[in-house]
Amino acid sequence: MTGVQTCALPISVDDGASIQQKLSSLKDRKLALEILTYIAKDLLTGLKTIHGKGINHLDIKPDNLLFMKDGTGYVTDFGCGKKNDDPQTTMIDGDSRYFSPNRLETFKLETSFEEEKADLWAAGVSLLQIYKNVFPFKLFDQPKTFSKIVDQCDSDFFTKKLNLIKELQNPDEGSIFWVIKSLLDPNPENAFTETQALKASCFTSLNKESQEIAFEIGRAS
């Protein structure tokens, strides 16, 4: 998000899970979408900062996002993070619900995966979860056991499941769902980087004053 969480930051108000619950109860879906767009911008900005420092998080999920009173978001919990000495890794720590197909493949083929793209896939899944209030296993209708997930959930599996999600079927170019769809391309070579995503038109008019107002209204609703 706008930076890496440290003890010097002000006391947080919400994590991603609680924001998810608040958004799901909002009757004003336009406001919910506005808040999601601010969340996405801060998340992508945070990943850009982290990756720029040569660090990969490897455990991006709503539980590891914190939001201040003014709505500013931060990435937290670097317990699975590692220095990006090699752009690919076989490291398998982290929450498997947010693993990309490329990352899941490492369990079956003993190959490596692109860490930065894995973070961005997890960001896309997290944003969908927060907006739809649906956790990844249900969102993608995945098998119940991890061994079956590894065996069945390849790029073709995710392509078919993503095509069933209404918001991702024909998103307007530059919209927040266009960004999410671009983060969730099962082929990591085609998936957006954070720099590409942050150029989307949905982010251009955002400002801190509007962000604070949107979160304030959202919390009060």
Side-chain angles (χ1 to χ4, degrees):
M1 306 177 150
T2 57
V4 177
Q5 177 78 2
T6 70
C7 60
L9 289 171
I11 297 172
S12 64
V13 176
D14 296 295
D15 64 11
S18 61
I19 290 291
Q20 174 180 325
Q21 291 300 317
K22 288 180 170 65
L23 283 193
S24 69
S25 65
L26 279 181
K27 294 181 180 179
D28 186 344
R29 300 315 294 165
K30 183 177 179 180
L31 175 62
L33 202 59
E34 180 182 358
I35 292 172
L36 180 73
T37 306
Y38 279 111
I39 292 170
K41 184 177 182 180
D42 279 356
L43 173 53
L44 291 166
T45 301
L47 285 176
K48 184 177 180 180
T49 300
I50 293 164
H51 292 160
K53 293 179 181 295
I55 300 169
N56 297 313
H57 190 278
L58 299 176
D59 197 22
I60 294 295
K61 56 184 177 180
D63 289 345
N64 289 339
L65 310 178
L66 290 180
F67 299 89
M68 304 302 114
K69 187 176 181 179
D70 66 357
T72 302
Y74 294 88
V75 177
T76 66
D77 192 349
F78 288 77
C80 295
K82 65 180 288 288
K83 290 288 289 183
N84 188 12
D85 298 321
D86 186 333
Q88 296 186 331
T89 183
T90 57
M91 184 177 178
I92 58 175
D93 290 339
D95 192 327
S96 61
R97 294 177 297 174
Y98 303 89
F99 283 8
S100 66
N102 184 225
R103 190 171 182 181
L104 287 170
E105 191 177 60
T106 65
F107 291 85
K108 182 165 54 176
L109 302 180
E110 297 184 1
T111 54
S112 59
F113 65 92
E114 296 183 52
E115 295 176 344
E116 289 190 9
K117 289 297 182 74
D119 278 348
L120 290 160
W121 171 277
V125 174
S126 296
L127 292 169
L128 270 184
Q129 174 183 321
I130 289 171
Y131 181 75
K132 295 177 70 66
N133 194 27
V134 177
F135 288 86
F137 280 167
K138 185 176 180 181
L139 186 67
F140 297 123
D141 190 26
Q142 291 177 303
K144 301 299 182 183
T145 63
F146 184 68
S147 61
K148 289 185 178 180
I149 291 172
V150 170
D151 186 55
Q152 299 177 27
C153 298
D154 56 10
S155 293
D156 288 340
F157 172 90
F158 281 107
T159 297
K160 292 175 182 177
K161 298 301 182 182
L162 288 165
N163 287 338
L164 296 176
I165 297 174
K166 180 181 64 175
E167 291 85 355
L168 303 185
Q169 288 173 355
N170 292 292
D172 293 333
E173 184 172 347
S175 69
I176 183 58
F177 288 119
W178 179 79
V179 170
I180 293 172
K181 182 175 183 178
S182 300
L183 295 172
L184 292 176
D185 191 311
N187 183 344
E189 293 183 4
N190 297 332
F192 267 11
T193 65
E194 56 269 60
T195 299
Q196 290 173 312
L198 285 166
K199 292 179 180 179
S201 58
C202 63
F203 300 128
T204 56
S205 63
L206 302 186
N207 61 73
K208 292 306 300 178
E209 182 179 358
S210 297
Q211 182 173 9
E212 186 171 1
I213 292 171
F215 272 76
E216 183 178 353
I217 295 172
R219 288 191 177 100
S221 298

